[in-house]
Amino acid sequence: MDIFVGSLPFKLKEKELKELFEKFGEVTSAKIVKSKSTRQNKGFGFVDMPNEEEVRKAIFELNGFEIMGRNIEVSLSEKKDKSKAKSTKAPKLNSQGKLFVKDTYKPFKGIDKRGKR
DNA sequence: GATGAGCGG
């Protein structure tokens, strides 16, 4: 389960990020995106957790968690699809992976009006 | 060397 973590402090390290998520469950891998050589870290990272339930707790608890005087944002990653996307048509979460959203999903209705004649 | 919305290998 890939988790996107944003608003990370530049002082934060992958190890700390990993431990931060390990407090809520098992963390397979944690990485922080940054430039090649320079210290220009993008300020966001990714955490991989095998247990989905722990992922929920981690996201729920770490989303907006204040660390180093900075609040971090945690959510499910949308890109980087490791699997081949079998055909999960009934996800527990929304398509965006927002756990807090209740029912903001509005399918398009009546977009096709059938041309004249 | 600093930077603050963003999805990396």
Side-chain angles (χ1 to χ4, degrees):
Chain A
M1 177 73 74
D2 296 280
I3 306 175
F4 173 78
V5 185
S7 190
L8 294 174
F10 300 111
K11 296 134 295 189
L12 192 76
K13 289 182 286 291
E14 297 181 359
K15 180 171 54 59
E16 298 177 292
L17 181 66
K18 182 177 180 181
E19 294 181 4
L20 185 67
F21 276 80
E22 281 180 342
K23 296 188 301 183
F24 295 93
E26 179 180 331
V27 178
T28 312
S29 174
K31 197 204 23 246
I32 296 181
V33 184
K34 50 175 157 10
S35 188
K36 298 176 174 61
S37 303
T38 57
R39 312 171 62 181
Q40 297 185 251
N41 40 341
K42 298 295 170 43
F44 61 91
F46 292 90
V47 180
D48 183 68
M49 298 180 71
N51 299 327
E52 184 177 329
E53 45 189 312
E54 294 179 348
V55 173
R56 299 187 202 169
K57 298 191 301 182
I59 293 176
F60 189 83
E61 296 295 328
L62 296 179
N63 188 11
F65 180 78
E66 182 180 305
I67 178 173
M68 295 182 181
R70 218 66 172 185
N71 294 85
I72 62 177
E73 296 182 6
V74 184
S75 61
L76 299 180
S77 355
E78 305 174 8
K79 306 298 175 56
K80 196 58 183 305
D81 186 57
K82 186 181 296 180
S83 298
K84 72 275 299 177
K86 196 61 174 297
S87 182
T88 169
K89 54 190 299 176
K92 285 87 177 179
L93 312 177
N94 289 16
S95 55
Q96 291 293 338
K98 307 300 181 181
L99 299 176
F100 309 94
V101 62
K102 294 178 174 58
D103 54 284
T104 54
Y105 177 68
K106 290 270 187 67
F108 300 96
K109 54 170 96 164
I111 49 177
D112 180 72
K113 203 52 169 303
R114 190 67 61 186
K116 305 296 193 314
R117 82 180 303 105

